[in-house]
Amino acid sequence: EYDLEGSFLRGIRFRAAVNDYKHTEIEGAETGTMYDVQGTDGRIELRHAPLGIMEGAIGLQYRREDFDAIGDEAFLPQSDTSSFSLFLFEEFELSDAWVLQASARYEDQSVSGATLAEKYDDSAYGASLGAVWRASSDIRVSANVAVTERHPTTTELYADGAHVAAQRYERGSVTLDNGILDKEQSTNIDLTLHGDTERVEWTITGFINSVDDYILLRPTSEAIVDPESFDDLPVFDFDQADVEFVGFEAEALVELLDRDGGHMHVRLFADLVHSEEDATGAYLPRIPPWRLGVGLHGGWDEFNASIDAIFADDQDKVTTKELSTEGY
């Protein structure tokens, strides 16, 4: 990261990473499944000088991942995934009380492989617009609208085999001869109320997220025998549906003690999300129940300690072939 003065560019931030990952699963005295993942990731951000009331940054990102798995538990084919992204963020300080924020992102992604029946190559777009209103010195209100697209993953497209860790047989859309899945198109609206007094800081956020062509894993009536364990594995196929998420998040920090030698505060939080398919009203899989948490945190000189407890409700709003869970 390098700061610049006296020019249009005020700062440059660069990050690069190279990943070389391999592991072999040993089944008794024999070699089981071998995994080999090679990855690179590079990102550069350019922060520009204020242009009137506008200040922000532009950036580029490149990612590549080469994946290969060989063995009985390899349910994904060899694939090379690369993506290139261009993004922009700008903030407009209209007054001491009002700030507007805007962002946009373009991402091109391609997936190729020697054994893939159909390759993937497409572009996705996203944009958001937000506003922050400082209603008073203690209260801040913010609202955001975001419209984004998400590419399907290699698992969602090309899976074909036993996913042993999940005890199911998964099939992607290309495996099923259904072609390439459509991109998910999401419209998200959230509203946040934030307060900060001398001893209490709190935040409440409500959100609605409507997703067209949401990619989900549907259970079928079929079962396939796992050649390793000879168990019947239920078959799950990747599919798409229009869905909606509605929920809220809340958090509060209450300062109990604040002295030169130490401090102590209580943290309270709660969150809830409800999701279902638009056409049928069916619940989506693997959705967590509402939660409530409390924690006590303290510090004295160089010593810090904390204790936390999280309470989760029962979850009986489950999808087909998914079991209800008790609270914990």
Side-chain angles (χ1 to χ4, degrees):
E1 185 172 357
Y2 189 74
D3 291 329
L4 299 169
E5 296 293 340
S7 64
F8 177 71
L9 286 180
R10 290 298 175 86
I12 301 174
R13 178 182 297 170
F14 175 73
R15 186 189 72 218
V18 177
N19 183 58
D20 180 358
Y21 173 81
K22 298 178 183 179
H23 91 252
T24 301
E25 297 183 351
I26 305 300
E27 308 289 347
E30 299 181 357
T31 299
T33 307
M34 297 181 293
Y35 295 89
D36 186 349
V37 183
Q38 308 292 318
T40 57
D41 187 349
R43 179 185 177 101
I44 185 170
E45 300 174 22
L46 306 175
R47 190 175 74 254
H48 66 75
L51 298 173
I53 62 173
M54 182 176 71
E55 186 174 6
I58 188 171
L60 303 169
Q61 183 171 4
Y62 174 79
R63 299 183 64 185
R64 180 180 176 90
E65 181 182 274
D66 299 337
F67 171 87
D68 195 10
I70 302 172
D72 295 329
E73 296 184 11
F75 69 101
L76 293 175
Q78 184 275 330
S79 63
D80 301 328
T81 302
S82 62
S83 66
F84 171 79
S85 304
L86 173 67
F87 54 91
L88 172 70
F89 174 81
E90 297 292 340
E91 190 169 83
F92 306 83
E93 189 163 355
L94 304 180
S95 66
D96 292 339
W98 283 95
V99 175
L100 292 181
Q101 297 171 334
S103 67
R105 179 181 176 90
Y106 162 84
E107 181 180 30
D108 182 78
Q109 178 170 295
S110 63
V111 182
S112 60
T115 62
L116 299 185
E118 189 172 355
K119 296 177 175 59
Y120 181 85
D121 189 3
D122 205 350
S123 300
Y125 302 87
S128 68
L129 182 64
V132 180
W133 174 42
R134 302 184 183 96
S136 67
S137 59
D138 300 335
I139 301 295
R140 186 173 73 246
V141 181
S142 61
N144 292 276
V145 178
V147 179
T148 58
E149 295 180 325
R150 183 183 78 84
H151 295 287
T153 66
T154 54
T155 302
E156 294 161 348
L157 293 174
Y158 308 111
D160 185 17
H163 189 169
V164 179
Q167 284 296 289
R168 60 178 176 240
Y169 194 100
E170 297 180 8
R171 298 187 298 200
S173 63
V174 175
T175 302
L176 295 165
D177 292 329
N178 292 333
I180 298 295
L181 292 167
D182 293 330
K183 293 172 294 186
E184 290 183 354
Q185 297 181 333
S186 171
T187 301
N188 185 79
I189 301 173
D190 61 73
L191 179 66
T192 299
L193 186 62
H194 179 83
D196 190 356
T197 62
E198 184 176 348
R199 300 179 65 88
V200 180
E201 182 178 359
W202 53 270
T203 302
I204 299 176
T205 300
F207 62 88
I208 299 176
N209 190 4
S210 178
V211 187
D212 293 340
D213 297 318
Y214 180 78
I215 302 173
L216 70 165
L217 200 54
R218 290 194 188 279
T220 71
S221 58
E222 299 178 54
I224 294 179
V225 176
D226 180 12
E228 288 293 298
S229 64
F230 300 104
D231 292 335
D232 286 341
L233 295 179
V235 177
F236 284 70
D237 294 341
F238 283 99
D239 194 13
Q240 295 189 283
D242 296 341
V243 304
E244 187 173 81
F245 298 84
V246 180
F248 79 91
E249 299 172 348
E251 182 182 41
L253 295 176
V254 182
E255 199 73 38
L256 302 179
L257 176 67
D258 188 7
R259 298 177 181 174
D260 293 338
H263 75 278
M264 181 181 295
H265 69 263
V266 172
R267 174 179 178 260
L268 305 170
F269 81 89
D271 54 43
L272 167 70
V273 60
H274 175 82
S275 59
E276 59 183 45
E277 296 185 34
D278 293 346
T280 63
Y283 298 121
L284 297 186
R286 297 180 297 280
I287 300 300
W290 75 266
R291 302 184 307 161
L292 179 67
V294 58
L296 180 64
H297 305 255
W300 296 267
D301 295 328
E302 297 181 359
F303 178 78
N304 286 276
S306 63
I307 183 170
D308 297 272
I310 299 176
F311 306 90
D313 193 23
D314 300 345
Q315 180 57 293
D316 53 13
K317 296 179 178 179
V318 294
T319 189
T320 306
K321 295 192 177 181
E322 196 174 52
L323 296 177
S324 300
T325 57
E326 296 182 353
Y328 59 89

